[in-house]
């Protein structure tokens, strides 16, 4: 299958494409002269096994560690299968520890959805990925950082920064300056857990300011294929424009839509409509 084959992204980086059927995110592997670093642990043992088996087909240096971009299940539940030293932000480790007492049966998942602890989308995707024979083991990372760190793989460097954002406050990114590649995890996606899916103006602007410090040619968001600088800039320009319009029109969806369409000179595509929805969903509450 196409999603189960490592693809070469740059001279030192491969990635496993995402699969929306069971919410499998992009998994990456960065290789220097001495070591390799895996980006994210996968959403299950099966997902992790696919990556590890694919890595064996490449002549890559030994794996130093796995780096987690954030705690969410689809990025972390494969860690147990990998059984590799894991690095993450301090908030990520704290969040994973909170999962240790949980049961993962259909009944337990459904109960947590009812209580508002879990969301239906994630519960449904866990059921789809694991089926009825469900064994989930939470692995707690061994190494944590607070703000920034650098990982030297041997002439290839991974610059790691905690950036936060609406999607998950523990979100961190990985920049590889030698290849001008930036792994963004899920940091630019909407908040899915607290009320309706939403963006907040303050968080988006702060996040974009951090991201735009990096001179990248390729951007990897975890649930879509890698983007060029041009493609990514189109997306961030949309977000910045919507920050301005949402503030100007005080969250009025109709006025924002009309102004954005006039600004671009085109009908609004699905992405623009979705982003408007996210910006306006809780605007009056903030």
């Amino acid at each position: 299958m196409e999603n189960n084959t490592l693809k070469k992204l740059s001279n030192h980086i491969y990635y496993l494409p995402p699969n929306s059927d069971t919410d499998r995110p992009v998994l990456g592997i960065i290789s220097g002269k001495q070591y390799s670093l895996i980006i994210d642990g996968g959403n299950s043992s099966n997902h992790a096994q696919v990556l590890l088996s694919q890595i064996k087909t490449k002549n890559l240096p030994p794996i130093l560690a796995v780096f987690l971009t954030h705690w969410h299940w689809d990025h972390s539940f494969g860690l147990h299968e990998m059984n590799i030293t894991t690095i993450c932000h301090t908030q990520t480790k704290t969040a994973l520890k909170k999962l240790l007492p949980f049961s993962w049966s259909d009944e337990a998942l459904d109960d947590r959805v009812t209580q508002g602890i879990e969301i239906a989308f994630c519960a449904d995707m866990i059921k789809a990925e694991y089926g009825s024979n469900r064994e989930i083991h939470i692995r707690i990372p061994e190494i944590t950082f607070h703000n920034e760190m650098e990982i030297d793989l041997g002439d290839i460097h991974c610059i790691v920064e905690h950036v936060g954002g609406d999607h998950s406050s523990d979100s961190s990114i990985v920049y590889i300056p030698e290849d001008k590649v930036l792994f963004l995890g899920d940091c630019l996606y909407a908040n899915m857990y607290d009320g309706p899916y939403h963006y907040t103006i303050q968080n988006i602007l702060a996040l974009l300011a951090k991201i735009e410090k990096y001179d990248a040619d390729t951007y990897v968001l975890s649930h879509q294929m890698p983007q060029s600088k041009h493609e990514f800039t189109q997306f961030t320009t949309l977000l910045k424009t919507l920050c301005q319009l949402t503030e100007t029109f005080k969250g009025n969806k109709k006025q924002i839509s009309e102004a954005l369409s006039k600004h671009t000179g085109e009908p609004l595509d699905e992405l623009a409509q979705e982003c408007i929805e996210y910006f306006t969903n809780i605007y009056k509450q903030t």
Side-chain angles (χ1 to χ4, degrees), residues 44-86:
S44 66
S45 291
N46 287 340
H47 193 198
Q49 286 170 4
V50 170
L51 178 68
L52 295 176
S53 65
Q54 281 291 299
I55 288 173
K56 288 179 180 178
T57 68
K58 310 296 180 184
N59 185 26
L60 303 180
I63 297 167
L64 177 68
V66 180
F67 180 83
L68 281 190
T69 58
H70 63 298
W71 69 269
H72 290 170
W73 78 277
D74 51 317
H75 297 256
S76 62
F77 279 15
L79 286 175
H80 178 79
E81 181 68 29
M82 288 188 179
N83 195 28
I84 299 168
T85 298
T86 303

Side-chain angles (χ1 to χ4, degrees), residues 110-134:
D110 294 343
D111 184 55
R112 289 201 294 275
V113 171
T114 300
Q115 294 181 58
I117 300 170
E118 184 58 86
I119 60 173
F121 173 78
C122 290
D124 291 343
M125 288 294 103
I126 289 172
K127 293 172 185 176
E129 173 67 28
Y130 285 84
S132 57
N133 184 20
R134 196 172 305 147

Side-chain angles (χ1 to χ4, degrees), residues 8-27:
K8 190 167 187 177
L9 184 62
S10 64
N11 288 337
H12 306 97
I13 302 171
Y14 289 88
Y15 72 99
L16 201 64
N19 187 337
S20 60
D21 292 345
T22 57
D23 206 32
R24 288 185 173 185
V26 168
L27 301 182

Side-chain angles (χ1 to χ4, degrees), residues 10-203:
S10 64
N11 288 337
H12 306 97
I13 302 171
Y14 289 88
Y15 72 99
L16 201 64
N19 187 337
S20 60
D21 292 345
T22 57
D23 206 32
R24 288 185 173 185
V26 168
L27 301 182
I29 181 157
I30 305 155
S31 296
K33 288 186 176 180
Q34 293 177 285
Y35 303 107
S36 297
L37 180 74
I38 291 175
I39 305 296
D40 280 326
N43 74 349
S44 66
S45 291
N46 287 340
H47 193 198
Q49 286 170 4
V50 170
L51 178 68
L52 295 176
S53 65
Q54 281 291 299
I55 288 173
K56 288 179 180 178
T57 68
K58 310 296 180 184
N59 185 26
L60 303 180
I63 297 167
L64 177 68
V66 180
F67 180 83
L68 281 190
T69 58
H70 63 298
W71 69 269
H72 290 170
W73 78 277
D74 51 317
H75 297 256
S76 62
F77 279 15
L79 286 175
H80 178 79
E81 181 68 29
M82 288 188 179
N83 195 28
I84 299 168
T85 298
T86 303
I87 304 169
C88 70
H89 188 259
T90 52
Q91 289 183 32
T92 304
K93 183 172 183 176
T94 299
L96 286 171
K97 282 184 175 180
K98 292 179 181 178
L99 302 183
L100 289 173
F102 287 176
S103 169
W104 300 97
S105 66
D106 285 359
E107 294 76 15
L109 282 167
D110 294 343
D111 184 55
R112 289 201 294 275
V113 171
T114 300
Q115 294 181 58
I117 300 170
E118 184 58 86
I119 60 173
F121 173 78
C122 290
D124 291 343
M125 288 294 103
I126 289 172
K127 293 172 185 176
E129 173 67 28
Y130 285 84
S132 57
N133 184 20
R134 196 172 305 147
E135 286 191 27
I136 295 174
H137 303 280
I138 307 300
R139 179 184 170 92
I140 305 302
E142 295 85 357
I143 300 172
T144 58
F145 73 101
H146 290 277
N147 299 312
E148 299 179 23
M149 69 180 298
E150 180 177 319
I151 303 169
D152 187 347
L153 302 175
D155 293 340
I156 296 297
H157 302 83
C158 299
I159 312 300
V160 171
E161 182 180 359
H162 170 241
V163 294
D166 284 313
H167 186 77
S168 191
S169 63
D170 64 319
S171 287
S172 300
I173 61 177
V174 184
Y175 176 60
I176 304 90
E178 292 83 3
D179 288 26
K180 288 191 171 185
V181 173
L182 184 59
F183 281 87
L184 292 161
D186 287 3
C187 73
L188 276 169
Y189 297 140
N191 185 324
M192 301 167 59
Y193 280 84
D194 301 317
Y197 288 15
H198 64 269
Y199 283 134
T200 57
I201 294 170
Q202 181 179 3
N203 281 345

Side-chain angles (χ1 to χ4, degrees), residues 248-267:
T248 298
F249 296 107
K250 306 301 180 186
N252 185 300
K253 187 185 302 183
K254 183 175 184 294
Q255 290 178 313
I256 294 167
S257 300
E258 290 173 349
L260 181 61
S261 182
K262 183 177 180 180
H263 174 75
T264 61
E266 299 176 356

